[in-house]
Amino acid sequence: MRGIQLPGGGELPVLGQGTWGMGERRGQRAAEVAALRHGLDLGVGLIDTAEMYGSGGAEEVVGAAIAGRRDEVFLVSKVYPHNASRRGAVEACERSLRRLGTDHLDLYLLHWRGSTPLVETLEAFEQLRADGKIKRFGVSNFDPDDVDELFASDLGRQSATNQVLYNLTRRGNEVDLLPWCREQRLPVMAYSPIEQGRLLGEPALHRVAERHSANPAQVAIAWVLAQDGVCAIPKAATPEHVEQNRAALDVELTAEDLAELDAAFPAPKHPVPLEIL
């Protein structure tokens, strides 16, 4: 699978598996584990989770899915802002590692800005990296002012990604945040690339999908993947859904397709506040 070059070396896979909503119902756990494992079978090794999801339940699902297969996985988790102090982030990461059944994360993110000074969180991340508990760190839901503050320090400039809401109906990032991230070579992870399914009834998506013998969700994901420096982490709770998401990698949108989608889902012309789900 192709990837995006990461600061400091290595690659971020362009397509991953999201886990928001997993681990909330014990009766669905086996199916969720099976879906994630099927994704690994298909080569979709990036798995994104967080201590917030299912109050740790999603991390437990991921831990079951990657058991015996850790070397196939680019594993990402996130820390709550209220746990992001020097001591709190270290302890939160250790709890996440226990739930995940691993000794390290490939990438650890601050889930969103809170009251803890950013320097404290970065120092905790650096300690975790020095201790071998994480390989890289980054941020999530950071707007342009936040990333400016992040990159004002040497440690902040070592961040590996900014994970934000981005899809055809949420294009405000294109005005200022995405250009800034590209200039700084900071990869962007796009969550909710199909807007939790709400955009799939749009006629333009269906027209483009028909031309590619694909479905609208695959086109929506392919559009995100066509953006420079951006990866997508759609959630899939069944093996069939995982296969459909994986097939989005094979959808090569043409200039005509991109123009039609741009006309149907125009980007704003002026900055808008960072959107969050």
Side-chain angles (χ1 to χ4, degrees), residues 148-170:
D148 273 339
E149 181 182 345
L150 179 70
F151 269 58
S153 71
D154 290 339
L155 196 53
R157 285 192 292 274
Q158 297 176 42
S159 297
T161 192
N162 184 15
Q163 184 181 121
V164 296
L165 175 63
Y166 183 50
N167 59 51
L168 279 163
T169 63
R170 308 276 192 164

Side-chain angles (χ1 to χ4, degrees), residues 33 88 110 144 168 170 194 205 264:
V33 169
L110 173 60
L168 279 163
R170 308 276 192 164
I194 61 172
L205 276 174

Side-chain angles (χ1 to χ4, degrees), residues 24-43:
E24 297 179 355
R25 298 175 179 84
R26 188 160 295 277
Q28 296 179 356
R29 186 158 297 195
E32 292 167 348
V33 169
L36 291 171
R37 290 183 71 86
H38 191 56
L40 296 182
D41 294 338
L42 298 174

Side-chain angles (χ1 to χ4, degrees), residues 35-267:
L36 291 171
R37 290 183 71 86
H38 191 56
L40 296 182
D41 294 338
L42 298 174
V44 186
L46 167 59
I47 298 179
D48 175 82
T49 190
E51 65 172 344
M52 184 187 81
Y53 301 165
S55 299
E59 290 181 325
E60 293 174 352
V61 168
V62 174
I66 68 174
R69 306 182 67 170
R70 180 65 182 89
D71 60 350
E72 301 175 43
V73 183
F74 187 101
L75 186 58
V76 185
S77 194
K78 299 182 283 291
V79 60
Y80 267 126
H82 62 257
N83 286 336
S85 64
R86 287 186 186 90
R87 178 176 177 179
V90 171
E91 293 176 346
C93 182
E94 290 171 345
R95 291 192 296 270
S96 290
L97 292 174
R98 287 194 292 271
R99 288 189 290 264
L100 290 161
T102 185
D103 62 356
H104 74 279
L105 296 170
D106 294 285
L107 181 57
Y108 196 38
L109 310 180
L110 173 60
H111 209 151
W112 64 87
R113 289 300 300 272
S115 60
T116 301
L118 186 56
V119 64
E120 286 195 31
T121 306
L122 292 172
E123 289 172 352
F125 285 171
E126 180 58 18
Q127 179 182 335
L128 287 165
R129 184 168 64 176
D131 292 342
K133 295 174 182 176
I134 66 174
K135 290 187 176 180
R136 307 166 185 85
F137 57 81
V139 296
S140 179
N141 297 307
F142 268 41
D143 65 18
D145 288 341
D146 293 327
V147 290
D148 273 339
E149 181 182 345
L150 179 70
F151 269 58
S153 71
D154 290 339
L155 196 53
R157 285 192 292 274
Q158 297 176 42
S159 297
T161 192
N162 184 15
Q163 184 181 121
V164 296
L165 175 63
Y166 183 50
N167 59 51
L168 279 163
T169 63
R170 308 276 192 164
R171 298 182 62 182
N173 294 327
E174 295 179 17
V175 178
D176 46 14
L177 183 61
L178 285 182
W180 188 97
C181 289
R182 289 186 183 116
E183 182 178 349
Q184 301 297 329
R185 297 183 179 178
L186 179 67
V188 169
M189 298 179 70
Y191 71 83
S192 293
I194 61 172
E195 187 66 13
Q196 298 179 329
R198 287 186 291 269
L199 61 79
L200 300 183
E202 296 290 338
L205 276 174
H206 284 263
R207 290 193 297 270
V208 174
E210 185 175 356
R211 291 200 289 268
H212 291 271
S213 299
N215 64 38
Q218 290 165 341
V219 171
I221 294 169
W223 180 86
V224 172
L225 299 180
Q227 312 308 310
D228 183 37
V230 180
C231 82
I233 47 171
K235 174 194 170 186
T238 67
E240 294 76 17
H241 194 179
V242 172
E243 290 178 3
Q244 291 180 19
N245 287 350
R246 170 61 181 81
L249 279 171
D250 301 322
V251 177
E252 297 186 8
L253 298 177
T254 66
E256 176 188 0
D257 298 330
L258 294 171
E260 183 170 355
L261 293 171
D262 191 58
F265 304 95

